[in-house]
Amino acid sequence: MQEWANQLCENRQFGSKMTDSKYFTTTKKGEIFELKAELNSDKKEKKKEAVKKVIASMTVGKDVSALFPDVVNCMQTDNLELKKLVYLYLMNYAKSQPDMAIMAVNTFVKDCEDPNPLIRALAVRTMGCIRVDKITEYLCEPLRKCLKDEDPYVRKTAAVCVAKLHDINAQLVEDQGFLDTLKDLISDSNPMVVANAVAALSEIAESHPNSNLLDLNPQSINKLLTALNECTEWGQIFILDCLANYTPRDDRESQSICERVTPRLSHANSAVVLSAVKVLMKFMEMLPKDLDYYGTLLKKLAPPLVTLLSAEPELQYVALRNINLIVQKRPEILKHEMKVFFVKYNDPIYVKLEKLDIMIRLASQANIAQVLAELKEYATEVDVDFVRKAVRAIGRCAIKVEQSAERCVSTLLDLIQTKVNYVVQEAIVVIKDIFRKYPNKYESVIATLCENLDSLDEPEARAAMIWIVGEYAERIDNADELLESFLEGFHDESTQVQLQLLTAIVKLFLKKPTETQELVQQVLSLATQDSDNPDLRDRGYIYWRLLSTDPVAAKEVVLAEKPLISEETDLIEPTLLEELICHIGTLASVYHKPPSAFVEGSRGVMHKRLPARTGSGESAESPDTGSSAAGSAPEATPAVIPSQGDLLGDLLNLDIAPTTTPGPPPPVSGMQMGAMDLLGGGLDSLLGGNIGGGSPAMGVAFGNPPAVMPASLNAPVSSGLGDLFDLGGGVGMPMGAYVPPKTVWLPAMKAKGLEISGTFARRAGVIQMEMTLTNKAMSVMSDFAIQFNRNSFGLAPAGPLQILTPLSPNQTLEASLPLSTVGPVMKMDPLNNLQVAVKNNIDVFYFSCQYPISMLFAEDGKMERQVFLATWKDIPNDNESQFQIKDCHLNSDAASNKLQGSNIFTIAKRTVDSQDMLYQSIKLSNGIWVLAELRVQAGNPTYTVSLKCRAPEVSQCVFQSYEAVLKN
């Protein structure tokens, strides 16, 4: 198509007497019939004109497939131009007319033996482009001949054809031995053949990462390097990319390859330059740094990178994104080239921001003066995003180059005096970071910052100012008034500001306790009682508990000395940086993401790494570095827990038995502390016997909450907060909620081509109906809507079905519909049956599906221990149902953990005769409570679950959810 378009352009350009534009202007009726007659004409010129008209019609989108046999007949010609046009037509229509396309096979085979190498190459190229299975078997013999053709043009075309054929039928290529022939072409005398063979093998290897097709060795590398100097620019890119996948045996071989690749740095094509940079960056890893050549190579890498910045803006941006990676890996390459990254007035914003980023990375004591002068200039620009980034950059310079910090702070204060709102706010954010890097050095500027308090309206700036006030409260006379002014609109603030305000007021209280008691009470109450944000509530509870149990410990925790912040906070993580260096010159280096992050599917995605230096061991820190400290028993535990009437006592009361007598503690039978009877001995009366074989002293009566902690316990104690967040008995963090796999709800044959498959999920407390809609019809579908019939639990769409784009033929769309439980109710059979109507522009379709009842299990379904016991007794025994779950191989802790992910909460656990019994509660969205006892016998894959509920008809569905969650 491109070839044909180029030809038309050439005709117009040279003003030929008969321009080809006329072929695009005809709109006559009966044109197909006329073309058919002309294609069968005896006159060669008329035939050629007719084919041109056909191609023109095809180009503008008209359907001329009816002329297939007539056009194919025109293949029998010696005219190269006509043959090209016919082949172009064939490539376009062969897929829709595979049976007719076979008619052309004989001509292809014949053309592959034509004396003219251009025709031979054209034939094999076209056969590779016709993606029809029926034709591939006929392609093998001509392709084999062309791979060994005497003319290099034919061989290079055939090499690419092997890759195309492999994409259609990989097994056929392997069986016919084409891969071996392709490997032989790497040793070809013609550099273009070598380049195409490398390109074909690389593409095939990408789809088969473990095949080791490009078995590179010093001999083959030498051949590639020889071909590198003589092939076209795109051939050079293929070879350089192939070289980048090779790992040299030693530093000598690495240096040899670098020496032969270095001339490519002066190439006019930027893609060749970046590919050469990639090879050199990789092989430099193996060169000793004290080697003279290493220094020479660093100097040679700078000029080509600088030259790339004189190209048009789009190329500049790609170059800058790659330079950003190079500078992070080896800043010494461009350390003397700071000026080329100074922003020009006419640079687009995306280039400006990228240059700014690189300037900071290259900033050093030697060039900081000119960098700061530039940045101050940028901060007075009109582009808001650019100004913000420039102000942040000044702060980053202060953190990176200590000698410049004072000058940076002075510059930031000058910018604050401009009173430009967004400049002031950015300056306050970066000054906070400077305080973190250089404590007790620049605090004299706080007064100036406080003057601008009223102008702050962005969350990040407000949070930064609150942090400064809280951190330096002892130096600010009216700190309490300043923080109180923020507190007035606490619920309107963003989460970031609320969290910072909570911490700042607690800091203020610890520094000035007598003056701010009321203020801290107010913020803790707002955070814990009036907020629905779990992060804020948890932090409020922790502070409240710390303050109420041990203010000294609170001071040590909240006012602890903070670690200094690092110089570069936005550096790419080292292993990712190594992988991105291996992808220089590709899309991955522009996105700064590995290919696996944006290439669909895992096919063709290989993680690359730079060659390892000897002795560069990584220090792998365990995520559990603090476990040893947490595991040891504290020297002296706080003696008092808040009383039951206290808010914290109510919400956070730990179930730790009081020590009745001084001396050694009661035995704990080798259990974790949290594995004690969490029902405080209440299950004794319900189920009989001593709890878990422990001491009777462990039972606690319901009416008397524990008032004193034991001095020590034999079992490991993690701390009060550890018990607060851990149910105990080894139960870890809950897993995610179970989501059943999607099933087909509405088959295409019953819905005029619309197929709907789906499932139900509960995410962050919201029930979602997740659907996949596929259009298997020939027409476009649009105007989707959905409605539910009345059902057992009042499920109804919480909003319209959001399908914003029409569903084209053979297209698939994902849709997620949030559901509410406030719709009309009617008991269904089965109980979890849901009848759905889906409407689109074609018709209305009906189907029914069954939702897992676990989607209705609420997050607040953890019953209080006392309430659980009373409720269990109160529900009649006739309402108890018992079920067995077979082939389940989890231990009780893993089972509890898994169930908690689906909002089935374990209230207590006890062990009798090596059988674990878990007592659990569930709350359905309509307020029905289900109580459960799950029995797990070690070594027995059959669990027994007993369910008690005031509405026993739900028990069967609840059991099905237990089974589904535990078995999946």
Side-chain angles (χ1 to χ4, degrees), residues 735-765:
M735 300 176 182
Y738 165 63
V739 179
K742 284 185 178 176
T743 54
V744 176
W745 287 339
L746 182 65
M749 59 189 294
K750 289 188 178 178
K752 300 182 181 177
L754 173 65
E755 183 183 278
I756 299 178
S757 56
T759 186
F760 293 85
R762 188 179 184 97
R763 304 188 195 283

Short mmCIF file of all heavy atoms in Angstrom, two decimals, residues 735-765:
data_model
loop_
_atom_site.label_atom_id
_atom_site.label_comp_id
_atom_site.label_asym_id
_atom_site.label_seq_id
_atom_site.Cartn_x
_atom_site.Cartn_y
_atom_site.Cartn_z
N MET A 735 -6.33 -12.92 54.29
CA MET A 735 -6.13 -12.86 52.84
C MET A 735 -7.27 -12.05 52.22
O MET A 735 -8.21 -11.68 52.89
CB MET A 735 -6.15 -14.28 52.26
CG MET A 735 -5.08 -15.19 52.84
SD MET A 735 -5.27 -16.85 52.18
CE MET A 735 -3.98 -17.70 53.06
N GLY A 736 -7.21 -11.82 50.89
CA GLY A 736 -8.28 -11.10 50.22
C GLY A 736 -9.53 -11.95 50.16
O GLY A 736 -9.51 -13.16 50.34
N ALA A 737 -10.68 -11.27 49.92
CA ALA A 737 -11.95 -11.97 49.85
C ALA A 737 -11.97 -12.91 48.64
O ALA A 737 -11.40 -12.61 47.59
CB ALA A 737 -13.09 -10.97 49.75
N TYR A 738 -12.63 -14.05 48.79
CA TYR A 738 -12.74 -15.03 47.71
C TYR A 738 -13.68 -14.50 46.63
O TYR A 738 -14.78 -14.03 46.91
CB TYR A 738 -13.25 -16.37 48.28
CG TYR A 738 -13.74 -17.32 47.21
CD1 TYR A 738 -12.87 -17.83 46.25
CD2 TYR A 738 -15.07 -17.71 47.14
CE1 TYR A 738 -13.30 -18.69 45.26
CE2 TYR A 738 -15.52 -18.57 46.16
CZ TYR A 738 -14.62 -19.06 45.22
OH TYR A 738 -15.06 -19.91 44.24
N VAL A 739 -13.22 -14.55 45.38
CA VAL A 739 -14.05 -14.16 44.23
C VAL A 739 -14.18 -15.39 43.33
O VAL A 739 -13.18 -15.91 42.84
CB VAL A 739 -13.41 -13.00 43.44
CG1 VAL A 739 -14.27 -12.63 42.25
CG2 VAL A 739 -13.21 -11.79 44.35
N PRO A 740 -15.42 -15.88 43.10
CA PRO A 740 -15.59 -17.06 42.25
C PRO A 740 -15.16 -16.75 40.82
O PRO A 740 -15.20 -15.59 40.39
CB PRO A 740 -17.12 -17.32 42.29
CG PRO A 740 -17.63 -16.49 43.41
CD PRO A 740 -16.70 -15.35 43.59
N PRO A 741 -14.71 -17.76 40.06
CA PRO A 741 -14.34 -17.53 38.65
C PRO A 741 -15.58 -17.16 37.83
O PRO A 741 -16.71 -17.52 38.20
CB PRO A 741 -13.76 -18.88 38.21
CG PRO A 741 -14.30 -19.88 39.18
CD PRO A 741 -14.52 -19.16 40.48
N LYS A 742 -15.36 -16.46 36.73
CA LYS A 742 -16.49 -16.05 35.89
C LYS A 742 -17.10 -17.25 35.17
O LYS A 742 -16.39 -18.16 34.75
CB LYS A 742 -16.02 -15.01 34.85
CG LYS A 742 -15.81 -13.63 35.45
CD LYS A 742 -15.47 -12.60 34.39
CE LYS A 742 -15.33 -11.22 35.02
NZ LYS A 742 -14.92 -10.21 34.07
N THR A 743 -18.42 -17.24 35.08
CA THR A 743 -19.13 -18.28 34.32
C THR A 743 -20.04 -17.58 33.31
O THR A 743 -20.38 -16.41 33.47
CB THR A 743 -19.99 -19.16 35.24
OG1 THR A 743 -20.85 -18.31 36.02
CG2 THR A 743 -19.13 -19.97 36.20
N VAL A 744 -20.41 -18.32 32.26
CA VAL A 744 -21.28 -17.73 31.23
C VAL A 744 -22.71 -17.68 31.77
O VAL A 744 -23.30 -18.70 32.12
CB VAL A 744 -21.23 -18.56 29.92
CG1 VAL A 744 -22.20 -18.00 28.90
CG2 VAL A 744 -19.82 -18.55 29.37
N TRP A 745 -23.25 -16.48 31.86
CA TRP A 745 -24.61 -16.27 32.35
C TRP A 745 -25.61 -16.24 31.18
O TRP A 745 -26.70 -16.76 31.27
CB TRP A 745 -24.71 -14.95 33.12
CG TRP A 745 -24.07 -14.98 34.46
CD1 TRP A 745 -23.78 -16.08 35.22
CD2 TRP A 745 -23.61 -13.85 35.23
NE1 TRP A 745 -23.18 -15.71 36.39
CE2 TRP A 745 -23.07 -14.35 36.45
CE3 TRP A 745 -23.62 -12.48 35.03
CZ2 TRP A 745 -22.55 -13.53 37.43
CZ3 TRP A 745 -23.10 -11.65 36.01
CH2 TRP A 745 -22.56 -12.17 37.20
N LEU A 746 -25.19 -15.60 30.09
CA LEU A 746 -26.09 -15.44 28.94
C LEU A 746 -25.33 -15.87 27.69
O LEU A 746 -24.45 -15.15 27.21
CB LEU A 746 -26.52 -13.97 28.83
CG LEU A 746 -27.50 -13.62 27.71
CD1 LEU A 746 -28.85 -14.30 27.92
CD2 LEU A 746 -27.69 -12.11 27.62
N PRO A 747 -25.62 -17.07 27.14
CA PRO A 747 -24.91 -17.51 25.94
C PRO A 747 -25.30 -16.66 24.72
O PRO A 747 -26.43 -16.16 24.64
CB PRO A 747 -25.37 -18.97 25.76
CG PRO A 747 -26.13 -19.32 27.00
CD PRO A 747 -26.61 -18.04 27.60
N ALA A 748 -24.37 -16.52 23.77
CA ALA A 748 -24.61 -15.68 22.59
C ALA A 748 -25.80 -16.17 21.77
O ALA A 748 -26.56 -15.37 21.21
CB ALA A 748 -23.34 -15.65 21.74
N MET A 749 -25.99 -17.49 21.71
CA MET A 749 -27.08 -18.03 20.87
C MET A 749 -28.46 -17.68 21.42
O MET A 749 -29.45 -17.69 20.70
CB MET A 749 -26.93 -19.55 20.72
CG MET A 749 -26.95 -20.31 22.03
SD MET A 749 -26.52 -22.04 21.79
CE MET A 749 -27.90 -22.59 20.80
N LYS A 750 -28.52 -17.33 22.71
CA LYS A 750 -29.83 -16.97 23.29
C LYS A 750 -30.05 -15.46 23.31
O LYS A 750 -31.08 -14.99 23.75
CB LYS A 750 -29.92 -17.50 24.72
CG LYS A 750 -30.03 -19.01 24.80
CD LYS A 750 -30.31 -19.44 26.22
CE LYS A 750 -30.49 -20.96 26.31
NZ LYS A 750 -30.71 -21.40 27.69
N ALA A 751 -29.03 -14.70 22.91
CA ALA A 751 -29.14 -13.24 23.04
C ALA A 751 -28.70 -12.53 21.77
O ALA A 751 -28.08 -11.47 21.83
CB ALA A 751 -28.32 -12.76 24.23
N LYS A 752 -28.98 -13.15 20.62
CA LYS A 752 -28.69 -12.52 19.32
C LYS A 752 -27.24 -12.06 19.21
O LYS A 752 -26.94 -10.98 18.74
CB LYS A 752 -29.65 -11.35 19.08
CG LYS A 752 -31.12 -11.78 19.07
CD LYS A 752 -32.06 -10.65 18.79
CE LYS A 752 -33.51 -11.13 18.82
NZ LYS A 752 -34.48 -10.07 18.62
N GLY A 753 -26.32 -12.91 19.70
CA GLY A 753 -24.90 -12.62 19.56
C GLY A 753 -24.24 -11.98 20.76
O GLY A 753 -23.03 -11.87 20.81
N LEU A 754 -25.03 -11.56 21.76
CA LEU A 754 -24.43 -10.96 22.96
C LEU A 754 -24.16 -12.05 23.99
O LEU A 754 -25.08 -12.78 24.38
CB LEU A 754 -25.38 -9.91 23.57
CG LEU A 754 -24.95 -9.33 24.92
CD1 LEU A 754 -23.67 -8.53 24.79
CD2 LEU A 754 -26.06 -8.45 25.52
N GLU A 755 -22.91 -12.18 24.37
CA GLU A 755 -22.57 -13.16 25.41
C GLU A 755 -22.12 -12.42 26.66
O GLU A 755 -21.30 -11.51 26.60
CB GLU A 755 -21.45 -14.08 24.94
CG GLU A 755 -21.11 -15.16 25.96
CD GLU A 755 -19.94 -16.03 25.53
OE1 GLU A 755 -20.16 -16.97 24.74
OE2 GLU A 755 -18.82 -15.76 25.98
N ILE A 756 -22.72 -12.81 27.81
CA ILE A 756 -22.34 -12.19 29.09
C ILE A 756 -21.86 -13.28 30.03
O ILE A 756 -22.55 -14.26 30.28
CB ILE A 756 -23.53 -11.44 29.74
CG1 ILE A 756 -24.03 -10.32 28.82
CG2 ILE A 756 -23.12 -10.86 31.09
CD1 ILE A 756 -25.22 -9.56 29.35
N SER A 757 -20.63 -13.11 30.51
CA SER A 757 -20.15 -13.98 31.59
C SER A 757 -19.77 -13.08 32.76
O SER A 757 -19.48 -11.89 32.57
CB SER A 757 -18.95 -14.81 31.13
OG SER A 757 -17.93 -13.97 30.65
N GLY A 758 -19.80 -13.63 33.96
CA GLY A 758 -19.52 -12.75 35.09
C GLY A 758 -19.37 -13.46 36.41
O GLY A 758 -19.44 -14.69 36.50
N THR A 759 -19.16 -12.65 37.42
CA THR A 759 -19.04 -13.14 38.80
C THR A 759 -19.40 -11.99 39.72
O THR A 759 -19.67 -10.88 39.26
CB THR A 759 -17.62 -13.65 39.08
OG1 THR A 759 -17.58 -14.23 40.37
CG2 THR A 759 -16.59 -12.51 39.04
N PHE A 760 -19.42 -12.28 41.01
CA PHE A 760 -19.68 -11.26 42.02
C PHE A 760 -18.46 -11.13 42.92
O PHE A 760 -17.81 -12.12 43.22
CB PHE A 760 -20.91 -11.62 42.86
CG PHE A 760 -22.20 -11.61 42.08
CD1 PHE A 760 -22.60 -12.74 41.36
CD2 PHE A 760 -23.01 -10.49 42.05
CE1 PHE A 760 -23.77 -12.74 40.63
CE2 PHE A 760 -24.19 -10.48 41.32
CZ PHE A 760 -24.58 -11.61 40.60
N ALA A 761 -18.17 -9.92 43.34
CA ALA A 761 -17.03 -9.69 44.24
C ALA A 761 -17.42 -8.63 45.26
O ALA A 761 -18.30 -7.80 45.00
CB ALA A 761 -15.81 -9.23 43.45
N ARG A 762 -16.78 -8.70 46.42
CA ARG A 762 -16.97 -7.64 47.42
C ARG A 762 -15.63 -6.95 47.60
O ARG A 762 -14.67 -7.57 48.02
CB ARG A 762 -17.47 -8.22 48.74
CG ARG A 762 -17.86 -7.15 49.76
CD ARG A 762 -18.36 -7.75 51.06
NE ARG A 762 -18.81 -6.73 51.98
CZ ARG A 762 -20.08 -6.35 52.14
NH1 ARG A 762 -21.03 -6.93 51.42
NH2 ARG A 762 -20.41 -5.40 53.00
N ARG A 763 -15.57 -5.69 47.22
CA ARG A 763 -14.31 -4.94 47.29
C ARG A 763 -14.53 -3.68 48.10
O ARG A 763 -15.39 -2.87 47.77
CB ARG A 763 -13.81 -4.59 45.89
CG ARG A 763 -13.64 -5.82 45.00
CD ARG A 763 -12.95 -5.45 43.69
NE ARG A 763 -13.09 -6.50 42.69
CZ ARG A 763 -12.38 -7.62 42.68
NH1 ARG A 763 -11.48 -7.81 43.60
NH2 ARG A 763 -12.56 -8.53 41.73
N ALA A 764 -13.75 -3.54 49.17
CA ALA A 764 -13.82 -2.36 50.04
C ALA A 764 -15.25 -2.10 50.51
O ALA A 764 -15.72 -0.97 50.55
CB ALA A 764 -13.26 -1.14 49.32
N GLY A 765 -15.95 -3.21 50.82
CA GLY A 765 -17.29 -3.07 51.38
C GLY A 765 -18.38 -2.87 50.35
O GLY A 765 -19.55 -2.72 50.69
#
